[in-house]
Amino acid sequence: MSGRTEGGAVERDHSIAIVALGAVAFLTALSPTPALAHASDRGHVLLLPTGYYVAGGALAVAASFLALALLPPDALDRFWRRRLPLFAFRDGARAIASLASFAGFAMLVAAGLFGSRDPLSNPLPLAIWTLLWVGLVLLQGLLGNLWSWLNPWYGPWRVVSRLFGEREMKRPPAWLGYWPAFVLFFAFAWFELIDPAPDDPARLAWAAGLYWLLSFAAMMMFGYRDWSRSSEFLTVFFTMVARFAVIERDAGGRLNFCWPGAKLIYAAPLSLSGTAFLLLALSSVSFDGLSKTFFWFGLFGINPLEFPGRTAVIGIGSLGLVLMFVLLAAAFILAIVLGQHLAGSKHSLGQAAGLLVWSIVPIALAYHVAHYLTALLVDGQYAVAALSDPFALGWNLFGTADMQIEAGVVAGAGSAWWLWNVQAGVIIGGHMLAVLVAHGLAWRLHPVPARAALSQFPLTVLMIAYTVFGLWLLATPAAG
């Protein structure tokens, strides 16, 4: 949850939870809304030799580029193709798992509407902002596409289709591409990062419930497969993240163990809309970190020690979210153009960018994990406790309602040291893997090793700069 709201108690006012999704996007009320502070907010200034970490991280990424430039293409290709067979895994229970997920989702929405108004006691904000948006993203990146089993649409869609029979579905226009998912992801990021009170349980329940209904209606109109693959932003995002996982499922249903990022190497080039979607995924989490820094507040003359509340910074927050995406997209396109020019490539910009953008996945996943790690460690405990008593009626369904929350896991000098090292290691490792993936993709565009290495030089410089930026975000003073 990471400090999405301002501080105080949230009033039980359903009228402020008006959600209009004409373009299937969240448009929530902008009126001032009191909100709550969270235990997972970063409340310390990191007093560590961060200059050494930043320099070391940049050098590690640069060294990985130099080492890969000297490797023969066939050696890296053999590396990517290695698989360790595990066992076969069928889809028989997929609909049942999805129906169970839908039942849990319905319970959480009901808890949001009728349960506690405290986001640290109500399971809905904790489940969405911590378990789903942090925990499940991490599991997707490690284990593969769990979301295909856990999403709350597939099971109900199968049931309705069986009851009323299959009918001919309309196909979304081809020109739409991933743009619906892009718009929805931007609306989701705005709601999470800019809206005055995204942790308000009732407000979040209305938004989540209406989004589920409208997405389900779209799936009934266009078909589950077509709509979820390119327009439902959670499925699009989770599917892209799952390509990084070390577990792969082949066409025969057998699970195989593979190297991290191996599935990215053989991915088809993304369209312009898909490229924009991946860049937005990275820029939004980067802006989440930047928007809380003393540097950001200083740009607008705001005293970070007297934070005026999220309602007062809606304008600059919205501007920053858009600007971060535009700057990242411009830098990425410039790196691709320069790389193509250095290599003398005849490939189109769209083809090169659509293929090489897959190297963004390890970086986006690394930033996601590093940035939200404290939220997972602390708010994850609150979630386990809240799920035992979803309606604040004194229940103890799982025996965890009275568990003690260990907030000290992210507090104190010792915790700061290990937390920083884990976060820094994740970011540096993500960028090094991104360089590795980018080289594999570059060899698909440029079979000559020298040209492949030249084409990657500008993109590697961008990755080094983003490594420095990410480590600076972790170390710089933050508030709000």
Side-chain angles (χ1 to χ4, degrees):
M1 304 197 308
S2 295
R4 295 182 179 84
T5 47
E6 299 168 13
V10 180
E11 298 176 2
R12 184 173 184 137
D13 184 358
H14 293 181
S15 65
I16 63 174
I18 302 172
V19 179
L21 291 169
V24 202
F26 297 118
L27 292 177
T28 51
L30 301 181
S31 56
T33 308
L36 299 114
H38 298 293
S40 60
D41 291 352
R42 190 173 78 196
H44 61 270
V45 176
L46 190 60
L47 300 177
L48 291 171
T50 54
Y52 294 105
Y53 282 89
V54 171
L59 288 174
V61 176
S64 64
F65 167 77
L66 294 175
L68 289 169
L70 299 175
L71 281 178
D74 59 334
L76 196 56
D77 187 62
R78 290 195 303 270
F79 170 81
W80 287 123
R81 291 184 181 277
R82 288 180 179 175
R83 297 292 188 273
L84 176 63
L86 298 176
F87 52 87
F89 197 74
R90 304 300 177 188
D91 276 340
R94 183 182 171 195
I96 296 175
S98 178
L99 286 170
S101 178
F102 169 70
F105 172 76
M107 184 275 292
L108 289 172
V109 170
L113 293 173
F114 306 111
S116 170
R117 301 275 60 83
D118 179 7
L120 292 180
S121 299
N122 192 297
L124 178 64
L126 293 161
I128 290 181
W129 298 128
T130 303
L131 300 184
L132 173 71
W133 194 233
V134 185
L136 186 56
V137 170
L138 175 60
L139 291 177
Q140 285 276 125
L142 290 176
L143 303 178
N145 198 6
L146 301 176
W147 177 250
S148 65
W149 286 66
L150 297 177
N151 84 79
W153 288 285
Y154 177 73
W157 175 79
R158 283 286 303 273
V159 170
V160 173
S161 297
R162 289 287 182 87
L163 288 176
F164 297 98
E166 296 284 348
R167 63 183 183 85
E168 185 177 353
M169 300 290 180
K170 299 179 181 178
R171 295 185 66 88
W175 59 266
L176 271 180
Y178 290 95
W179 289 121
F182 177 89
V183 172
L184 287 167
F185 192 98
F186 182 86
F188 173 82
W190 189 95
F191 183 74
E192 178 198 13
L193 306 178
I194 313 299
D195 184 85
D199 281 341
D200 176 16
R203 189 184 187 89
L204 184 57
W206 279 100
L210 285 175
Y211 178 70
W212 187 93
L213 286 172
L214 289 172
S215 295
F216 188 71
M219 290 171 186
M220 296 305 301
M221 180 180 298
F222 298 109
Y224 171 83
R225 182 186 179 90
D226 287 340
W227 185 259
S228 63
R229 282 195 167 189
S230 61
S231 301
E232 199 286 295
F233 79 94
L234 287 172
T235 301
V236 172
F237 177 75
F238 282 132
T239 301
M240 289 180 173
V241 167
R243 282 186 172 272
F244 181 77
V246 297
I247 302 296
E248 177 187 60
R249 189 165 183 258
D250 60 26
R254 176 171 291 277
L255 298 180
N256 300 293
F257 186 85
C258 61
W259 293 110
K263 291 177 286 185
L264 296 170
I265 298 298
Y266 307 106
L270 285 172
S271 62
L272 174 63
S273 56
T275 300
F277 183 91
L278 261 180
L279 292 172
L280 177 62
L282 175 57
S283 66
S284 61
V285 71
S286 297
F287 177 70
D288 190 8
L290 178 64
S291 65
K292 297 177 177 65
T293 63
F294 283 22
F295 169 80
W296 176 257
F297 290 127
L299 292 177
F300 301 95
I302 298 174
N303 183 353
L305 300 180
E306 297 179 359
F307 182 62
R310 287 168 61 121
T311 303
V313 295
I314 286 177
I316 64 174
S318 302
L319 172 65
L321 185 61
V322 173
L323 188 60
M324 179 65 78
F325 168 74
V326 171
L327 290 176
L328 176 61
F332 176 76
I333 295 301
L334 178 61
I336 299 301
V337 170
L338 291 177
Q340 295 295 95
H341 178 73
L342 288 174
S345 175
K346 296 181 180 179
H347 296 284
S348 67
L349 173 61
Q351 184 180 9
L355 186 62
L356 292 172
V357 76
W358 284 113
S359 65
I360 294 293
V361 171
I363 300 175
L365 180 60
Y367 271 95
H368 201 93
V369 172
H371 179 70
Y372 293 118
L373 181 59
T374 55
L376 181 62
L377 293 175
V378 178
D379 292 344
Q381 298 178 64
Y382 281 104
V384 172
L387 287 171
S388 271
D389 189 13
F391 297 98
L393 297 176
W395 298 352
N396 195 2
L397 299 176
F398 307 110
T400 58
D402 299 320
M403 67 178 287
Q404 295 296 317
I405 307 301
E406 297 293 339
V409 70
V410 296
S415 296
W417 182 87
W418 75 260
L419 186 63
W420 160 257
N421 278 280
V422 170
Q423 292 172 312
V426 166
I427 287 179
I428 295 169
H431 282 82
M432 293 175 68
L433 285 169
V435 171
L436 182 64
V437 170
H439 269 72
L441 295 169
W443 277 325
R444 289 175 56 182
L445 295 171
H446 312 286
V448 179
R451 289 189 176 184
L454 281 174
S455 73
Q456 288 308 291
F457 181 73
L459 188 57
T460 301
V461 171
L462 175 60
M463 290 180 179
I464 292 172
Y466 224 84
T467 302
V468 173
F469 176 63
L471 295 176
W472 174 80
L473 282 180
L474 290 179
T476 193

